[in-house]
Amino acid sequence: MTFRSKILESWKGKPLHDVFEQCREVVEDPDYPTVKEWREQGGKVLGHFQVYFPEELAHAAGMLPLKVCGGQADGIEAESKFGSYLCSIIKTSLDLALTKKIEIELFVTHPICDAARNLGAIWGRNFPYKAQILYLPQNPNSKHSHEYLTFEYNRVKKDIEGIMGPISDESLKASMELFNKSRSLMRELYDIKRETPWLIKAEDAYCLTILAGMVTKEDYIELMSWVLPQIRERNLKKQDKMRVVFEGGFCESPPVDLIQTIERSCYLVDDDLFIGLRYILSDTSLDGDPVESLATAYIDQSSYSPVQHDNNKEKGEMLLARIKNSGAEAAIVSAAKMCEPGLEEQVTYIKMLEEEGIDSFVNEFEENQTSFDQIGTQLETFVENILFSEEVA
């Protein structure tokens, strides 16, 4: 279906500051206005849980792929469906559907942890549509991993076709080309963050990234193609701030206000926030079987996260590369509360950074937290201690 968001269309011609403000309003709106707008035009939605899903499959069928990431819900409706000691995002994501903040035709989750694996069954018991689990390879280094993942992608593709009809190779390749363009624009946004972080606030870049998970790729490409050149043309003065990376937002993501709090003390020059939307680091090949190409891209061309176990992607080394490539002076090593994979990896990261002599600020967050004064004060003290130590040295 041909669709253009009137919400995003209304941003054209406005000053960047206004565009960023309205972008934040959209990504923080608990009613998901861009998704509602799509559905009002007769569109259907595939909701997928963190971390990564090949959205090209849904797009090629004519569905809107929606990254279900909770945050805007309080989780009260979902409380009775889960045990107490779980991360927030599991509850808030289901809560969005239970309260009809989002309405979808198919839900896909992944066994990235026990809670996420069980989410599929719990979701399926509460709604008439299918809740599927996409089993990404536990051992991507196996010689059979490409064949296995191609099978898994085709299995989910059949579920999508059961709703929307057949997906041709031509349609899938056209979608892959669009997603290549979209990810290249996100890479350009992160180039700006690394090279000239004073040209865009961290929270504005964060909202632009989040937006990619709740609008059509056509709309997103049009917006970013217009916004990025204007960011580069801004005449803003560089401030004397420490450069840091943020690690720990691979699944549950911090509220925008937390990123804003970090921005007050530091330049946030790189991160793993909403990494699934930019998980593929280079263009997916448009040659041959498109489903095989998508599988190859995940296994051979992807980033890293605590929930992917790949001997060719030693996570500590990749974090070090993130720090060095962005010219960061320190790292914020964070984790969502009750996130077993994140908290486990946090220990590994801290030990590695200590061995490398890189300063780290350690904290936990929750996606719907509302108080940031304490962390703001702690971060300011952290930065001042490093600067004072450098002056003494």
Side-chain angles (χ1 to χ4, degrees):
M1 60 184 286
T2 301
F3 173 85
R4 279 292 185 271
S5 169
K6 293 181 180 178
I7 295 171
L8 270 64
E9 187 76 20
S10 69
W11 298 355
K12 286 184 178 179
K14 292 188 176 181
L16 272 184
H17 177 74
D18 292 345
V19 172
F20 292 149
E21 279 190 354
Q22 292 178 29
C23 180
R24 177 169 179 171
E25 287 178 7
V26 167
V27 302
E28 291 188 315
D29 191 328
D31 291 318
Y32 281 79
T34 56
V35 180
K36 276 188 166 37
E37 185 183 34
W38 168 266
R39 293 193 66 84
E40 286 169 358
Q41 299 298 315
K44 296 184 178 180
V45 180
L46 180 150
H48 61 93
F49 192 67
Q50 312 283 17
V51 170
Y52 172 77
F53 177 79
E55 293 186 325
E56 293 91 332
L57 295 175
H59 181 275
M63 300 184 85
L64 175 68
L66 169 66
K67 195 166 187 65
V68 180
C69 52
Q72 304 92 336
D74 55 25
I76 293 176
E77 290 293 324
E79 282 287 344
S80 63
K81 314 295 182 184
F82 298 101
S84 300
Y85 299 103
L86 289 176
C87 59
S88 172
I89 189 173
I90 293 289
K91 298 176 183 179
T92 57
S93 293
L94 180 62
D95 198 87
L96 289 171
L98 290 172
T99 57
K100 299 189 182 299
K101 299 291 186 183
I102 58 170
E103 295 183 78
I104 61 180
E105 278 71 34
L106 176 64
F107 177 70
V108 182
T109 186
H110 316 277
I112 58 174
C113 64
D114 289 342
R117 181 179 63 248
N118 293 330
L119 179 61
I122 294 171
W123 199 294
R125 286 200 297 266
N126 285 276
F127 300 98
Y129 52 82
K130 194 167 188 177
Q132 183 60 270
I133 299 177
L134 172 61
Y135 292 92
L136 298 169
Q138 289 296 306
N139 181 15
N141 307 121
S142 166
K143 65 180 180 180
H144 302 293
S145 61
H146 290 79
E147 178 184 356
Y148 165 79
L149 187 55
T150 300
F151 173 84
E152 277 294 288
Y153 282 179
N154 274 314
R155 183 174 63 83
V156 174
K157 178 171 172 276
K158 287 180 182 178
D159 285 332
I160 297 171
E161 289 175 326
I163 299 169
M164 302 298 293
I167 301 172
S168 68
D169 284 356
E170 290 73 20
S171 294
L172 185 50
K173 287 182 179 181
S175 293
M176 290 162 62
E177 188 172 13
L178 272 176
F179 277 74
N180 283 343
K181 176 63 175 176
S182 175
R183 284 190 291 265
S184 73
L185 291 168
M186 278 192 272
R187 289 195 293 271
E188 184 179 346
L189 174 64
Y190 271 74
D191 287 343
I192 294 172
K193 279 166 58 82
R194 283 186 290 268
E195 296 164 8
T196 52
W198 54 91
L199 292 183
I200 182 169
K201 293 179 180 179
E203 63 264 29
D204 293 335
Y206 185 35
C207 290
L208 284 174
T209 303
I210 297 171
L211 188 69
M214 56 179 65
V215 298
T216 68
K217 278 296 166 280
E218 291 85 350
D219 278 325
Y220 189 70
I221 289 170
E222 185 174 342
L223 174 69
M224 292 291 279
S225 297
W226 172 69
V227 164
L228 291 176
Q230 291 196 60
I231 295 173
R232 291 192 180 278
E233 292 171 3
R234 298 174 97 180
N235 184 23
L236 300 177
K237 184 179 288 188
K238 178 181 178 181
Q239 297 180 28
D240 186 18
K241 289 184 179 180
M242 176 176 290
R243 299 167 64 95
V244 301
V245 300
F246 183 100
E247 191 77 15
F250 65 95
C251 181
E252 183 172 329
S253 296
V256 179
D257 281 339
L258 177 55
I259 303 303
Q260 189 174 31
T261 300
I262 294 171
E263 172 77 20
R264 293 186 186 124
S265 302
C266 313
Y267 281 132
L268 183 54
V269 291
D270 207 346
D271 56 66
D272 65 344
L273 302 169
F274 279 79
I275 190 67
L277 293 172
R278 46 197 178 87
Y279 207 59
I280 308 304
L281 300 175
S282 56
D283 284 354
T284 303
S285 173
L286 302 180
D287 298 327
D289 183 331
V291 180
E292 287 183 9
S293 293
L294 288 172
T296 296
Y298 176 81
I299 294 171
D300 297 333
Q301 301 167 227
S302 61
S303 185
Y304 68 99
S305 82
V307 295
Q308 186 192 48
H309 308 287
D310 189 334
N311 293 331
N312 296 323
K313 299 173 189 171
E314 203 289 309
K315 290 183 275 290
E317 293 298 322
M318 295 193 81
L319 172 56
L320 280 178
R322 189 192 297 280
I323 293 170
K324 292 175 181 177
N325 293 340
S326 61
E329 301 159 83
I332 297 175
V333 184
S334 192
K337 292 181 180 179
M338 304 292 182
C339 175
E340 186 176 341
L343 290 167
E344 183 177 312
E345 207 65 51
Q346 190 182 51
V347 175
T348 304
Y349 288 150
I350 293 167
K351 184 175 184 294
M352 179 210 65
L353 292 171
E354 286 178 351
E355 292 172 352
E356 293 289 329
I358 298 173
D359 292 297
S360 61
F361 177 83
V362 182
N363 79 304
E364 293 181 13
F365 67 86
E366 198 166 21
E367 59 183 358
N368 49 14
Q369 73 184 79
T370 56
S371 177
F372 307 95
D373 291 341
Q374 184 176 7
I375 189 174
T377 301
Q378 291 172 342
L379 187 56
E380 286 175 8
T381 303
F382 169 76
V383 171
E384 288 170 1
N385 284 341
I386 294 175
L387 295 176
F388 178 75
S389 297
E390 291 176 350
E391 289 176 1
V392 171

